Amino acid sequence: MRSDRIKQGLETMPHRALLRASGLVDGDFGDKPWIGIANSYNNIIPGHVHLDAIAKKVIDGVKAAGGVPFTWGVPGICDGIAMGKGRGMNYSLPSRDHVADNIELMVNAHSMDGWVGVTNCDKITPGMLMAVGRLDLPSIIITGGPMKAGRLGEERLDVISCFEAVGAFKAGKLDESELKEHERCACPGQGSCAGLFTANSMACMAEALGLSLTGCATMLAVDPRKLDLAFETGRRAVQLAKDGTNARALVTRASFENAITIDMCIGGSTNTVLHLPAIAREFGYSLDLDLFDKISRRTPNLTKIRPSGPHMMEDLDAAGGIPAVMHQLVDLLDLDQQTVSGKTIGQVAKKATVSDETVIRSINDPYSRTGGIAILHGNICPGGAVIKMAAVSERMMVFEGPAKVYDSEDDAMESILGGKVVAGDVVVIRFMGPRGAPGMPEMLSPTSAVAGMGLEKSVALITDGRFSGGTRGGAIGHVEPEGWIGGPIVAIKPGEIIKIDLVERSLNLDVPQKEIDERVQAFKPPFRKLSGMLGKYVDTLD
């Protein structure tokens, strides 16, 4: 075991002396695996406020299985709190790499034999999954679970309801007292936000990759079974370490293709297109946008979870969760792929049942014959762009309109809430990419304002940044190359016609290519000076 580097030998006697001061005893220096527990508990993020209780059960499971647990804190950013005015959201994506670095530092510096990630939200879960691949040790992830839906009378709410309520208020559709009731009722307690937004999408991806125990992704934060699952997670971590089952022995390229298939089937967040390739790189694989589109074209969309439809994560869980989705997809998955439970994906899928086919449809009765995410190409986005097609109205599948161009989210929001964006417009928000923003912040406020004002079926949004997993409507993000480095999004002028065809997967500016090229060649980004973490982050991109 790796921990023998410290457990054995005269020269490491001082190391053991220090560990005795931390509470270790003679038996802990024998053949017990040392298991790290990376715990992203904090009392800021509702998805994380209960993770200490989960981590304690993991510790109990590690001890019960004959391991020695070590725990430490991992930072987390709540996108919903950080989003909007100021630079809070600029730190979210860079924090993903910071999470992976944190775990690498702690696990490798202290010679741990394996580790458990206790996580739950947008960048923390992807960062932990990146660390799984990078370290290639016995590893297992437990996500804290979704929040229950809020209720206001007969209406079910989530945090997106609040973002959209701002637009509804500005449009005169809600009064101030109704706005306050949304604020009070939308988020009733602990857990990641109640829809299939980025946090829950990535929890589903962890389970689909085989790195979480069966049923983990959709099991609610308040479900008492979650603590039982945490205990079993600790036990399995020790067994994986004793067996010497490293992460790359479980997760293969086919595992990633399985995960993308499940993602397309459920209509997950567009941010999975950002995170899955980053995770795959740490495992030694390359996933390009064309692979996502190829899998999307052959995978039916079987669920409509918020923001794509009326159902919540609690409904998906009650219908059977990710195992039930796998059950419907047995003909499209590589069933031989392994999981941390010791079972194959095929064994999990075949044992599962779908208890509600209004929530998880049959493959013979899909919402659509193609998946929930589409990859677009065109003269605006020669490197590709991403849209959550499952959340787009039929009337927006083919759309064109004049561009309203903004160089910041704040400017776009002011224009939208000020009534300057009208039906038929295409809102373009540029310089929002990894280098340009910097940090590629999510923009939920503009898309939610559009939806709240009743324009989600008549206004499109395009950005070289990204949109929240809670976004619905004709919101196209991840435009590549980004504007800051001379991507053709910088060539768009106000009033020029933009043509969107989701059927043909195209996004184009109705301007001759020669003119676009000349505008791009003339573009020079404005001078700026970055410092601190954002400066370091941009430097890693060059």
Side-chain angles (χ1 to χ4, degrees):
M1 288 188 284
R2 283 177 18 127
S3 56
D4 287 344
R5 301 171 191 170
I6 294 173
K7 293 174 184 174
Q8 307 296 323
L10 176 64
E11 67 277 8
T12 54
M13 181 272 289
H15 308 56
R16 294 190 293 276
L18 288 168
L19 287 165
R20 287 180 189 276
S22 298
L24 269 63
V25 297
D26 285 348
D28 297 328
F29 298 110
D31 59 0
K32 293 181 177 181
W34 285 6
I35 304 296
I37 300 167
N39 179 12
S40 63
Y41 160 80
N42 60 62
N43 68 353
I44 303 171
I45 309 176
H48 291 229
V49 295
H50 63 304
L51 294 188
D52 243 9
I54 289 176
K56 286 174 183 175
K57 282 293 184 180
V58 173
I59 289 169
D60 290 344
V62 169
K63 289 179 177 178
V68 180
F70 296 91
T71 186
W72 70 92
V74 174
I77 290 175
C78 177
D79 287 15
I81 296 171
M83 199 173 293
K85 290 184 179 293
R87 273 201 160 170
M89 191 59 193
N90 297 69
Y91 289 90
S92 180
L93 183 58
S95 77
R96 181 190 71 182
D97 296 338
H98 182 71
V99 167
D101 292 345
N102 171 296
I103 295 164
E104 179 186 359
L105 288 167
M106 293 298 289
V107 171
N108 279 348
H110 300 105
S111 299
M112 293 174 191
D113 299 306
W115 66 281
V116 177
V118 182
T119 176
N120 211 29
C121 283
D122 293 40
K123 308 307 169 302
I124 304 93
T125 299
M128 289 200 181
L129 290 168
M130 288 168 66
V132 172
R134 182 184 302 177
L135 295 172
D136 190 25
L137 291 171
S139 313
I140 186 167
I141 299 294
I142 180 165
T143 48
M147 185 186 296
K148 283 184 67 66
R151 290 190 177 272
L152 183 55
E154 295 300 312
E155 184 182 4
R156 293 199 294 177
L157 306 177
D158 54 38
V159 68
I160 307 304
S161 307
C162 291
F163 278 94
E164 293 184 357
V166 172
F169 175 75
K170 284 289 187 178
K173 297 180 179 182
L174 290 178
D175 62 31
E176 197 166 336
S177 65
E178 291 172 314
L179 196 68
K180 196 69 174 178
E181 284 305 301
H182 275 71
E183 178 183 330
R184 289 184 175 129
C185 298
C187 301
Q190 64 198 37
S192 48
C193 299
L196 189 57
F197 315 139
T198 303
N200 290 323
S201 294
M202 290 312 302
C204 293
M205 294 301 93
E207 187 173 339
L209 286 168
L211 290 171
S212 292
L213 292 181
T214 303
C216 181
T218 61
M219 191 182 293
L220 294 184
V222 295
D223 192 324
R225 295 177 300 159
K226 184 65 83 171
L227 294 179
D228 294 336
L229 195 74
F231 183 85
E232 183 58 26
T233 295
R235 286 178 57 90
R236 284 299 304 165
V238 173
Q239 192 60 53
L240 290 168
K242 287 181 176 179
D243 294 342
T245 306
N246 289 352
R248 294 187 188 183
L250 293 176
V251 178
T252 69
R253 182 177 177 83
S255 302
F256 282 99
E257 293 193 10
N258 279 347
I260 296 171
T261 300
I262 290 166
D263 185 29
M264 297 303 158
C265 174
I266 62 177
S269 165
T270 54
N271 285 314
T272 57
V273 176
L274 184 70
H275 297 315
L276 284 175
I279 297 162
R281 279 195 297 272
E282 300 287 0
F283 279 87
Y285 303 111
S286 176
L287 308 179
D288 59 25
L289 287 179
D290 289 339
L291 176 64
F292 283 83
D293 199 55
K294 176 183 176 182
I295 293 176
S296 178
R297 288 176 184 271
R298 72 185 187 213
T299 306
N301 175 216
L302 302 183
T303 74
K304 287 288 185 182
I305 313 298
R306 277 274 289 172
S308 299
H311 300 125
M312 298 287 192
M313 287 301 292
E314 60 197 60
D315 302 318
L316 180 58
D317 187 58
I322 295 304
V325 174
M326 292 176 179
H327 180 81
Q328 302 292 61
L329 295 174
V330 288
D331 293 333
L332 296 176
L333 299 175
D334 186 325
L335 303 180
D336 293 328
Q337 297 308 299
Q338 301 292 315
T339 74
V340 288
S341 70
K343 299 174 183 176
T344 65
I345 291 292
Q347 289 171 319
V348 172
K350 289 172 183 177
K351 185 179 178 181
T353 58
V354 178
S355 61
D356 188 344
E357 285 203 352
T358 65
V359 178
I360 304 173
R361 288 193 175 185
S362 161
I363 201 167
N364 297 317
D365 181 32
Y367 283 103
S368 67
R369 296 288 173 188
T370 57
I373 292 174
I375 308 301
L376 312 182
H377 290 278
N379 60 17
I380 294 174
C381 55
V386 184
I387 186 168
K388 187 169 185 171
M389 198 154 66
V392 179
S393 164
E394 281 293 326
R395 58 192 279 192
M396 291 286 291
M397 297 297 284
V398 178
F399 184 84
E400 66 177 68
K404 295 282 180 71
V405 183
Y406 307 96
D407 290 345
S408 75
E409 179 184 2
D410 288 348
D411 289 347
M413 273 296 288
E414 182 180 347
S415 187
I416 292 166
L417 294 178
K420 296 178 182 178
V421 172
V422 298
D425 283 344
V426 179
V427 174
V428 178
I429 312 174
R430 55 195 185 185
F431 307 135
M432 292 289 105
R435 296 171 180 82
M440 204 179 189
E442 274 184 359
M443 288 175 287
L444 178 58
S445 296
T447 58
S448 295
V450 165
M453 297 175 79
L455 297 172
E456 77 276 8
K457 296 180 181 179
S458 58
V459 168
L461 296 97
I462 299 171
T463 184
D464 53 1
R466 59 198 178 92
F467 293 116
S468 164
T471 292
R472 60 190 176 100
I476 301 168
H478 303 253
V479 165
E480 294 183 7
E482 65 171 296
W484 192 263
I485 60 172
I489 193 171
V490 300
I492 303 170
K493 292 185 176 180
E496 293 180 334
I497 299 300
I498 294 175
K499 297 182 176 182
I500 303 165
D501 190 331
L502 301 188
V503 179
E504 296 297 325
R505 305 288 210 268
S506 66
L507 172 62
N508 288 290
L509 176 66
D510 193 19
V511 168
Q513 188 62 50
K514 182 180 178 182
E515 176 67 19
I516 292 173
D517 293 342
E518 289 173 354
R519 294 179 188 178
V520 167
Q521 289 171 10
F523 169 75
K524 291 183 179 179
F527 173 79
R528 71 174 180 198
K529 185 176 181 180
L530 293 173
S531 60
M533 187 170 182
L534 292 180
K536 292 177 184 177
Y537 175 75
V538 170
D539 286 344
T540 67
L541 300 172
D542 294 335

